[in-house]
Amino acid sequence: MFAATSNAEELRTKIKEDLCILDMDELQTLYRTIAALAAEKAIKFADKDWAGRSLSREEINKEVEEYRHSKNK
């Protein structure tokens, strides 16, 4: 689908051309795939940042839960 290009504008043009041939179902599948990949990367970056701050996912989830409870009172 994507080919190597020499500059960013050429790449944008190539991507637009390739996306034009996809039907709506294929575009939705592509969108969900990209969203899932972005979410995975965001989680990895957050975990790395939290590890650098000596935090864990459990601690973050606990703080979020406490915040939600205090907000609902």
Side-chain angles (χ1 to χ4, degrees), residues 14-48:
K14 180 68 176 152
I15 290 170
K16 286 180 184 179
E17 290 170 0
D18 289 345
L19 291 177
C20 286
I21 63 172
L22 299 177
D23 65 21
M24 192 55 108
D25 290 336
E26 291 171 322
L27 286 171
Q28 288 176 338
T29 301
L30 178 61
Y31 171 80
R32 282 192 293 272
T33 301
I34 292 170
L37 290 170
E40 287 174 13
K41 289 295 183 186
I43 289 168
K44 286 181 182 179
F45 286 135
D47 285 343
K48 186 176 181 179

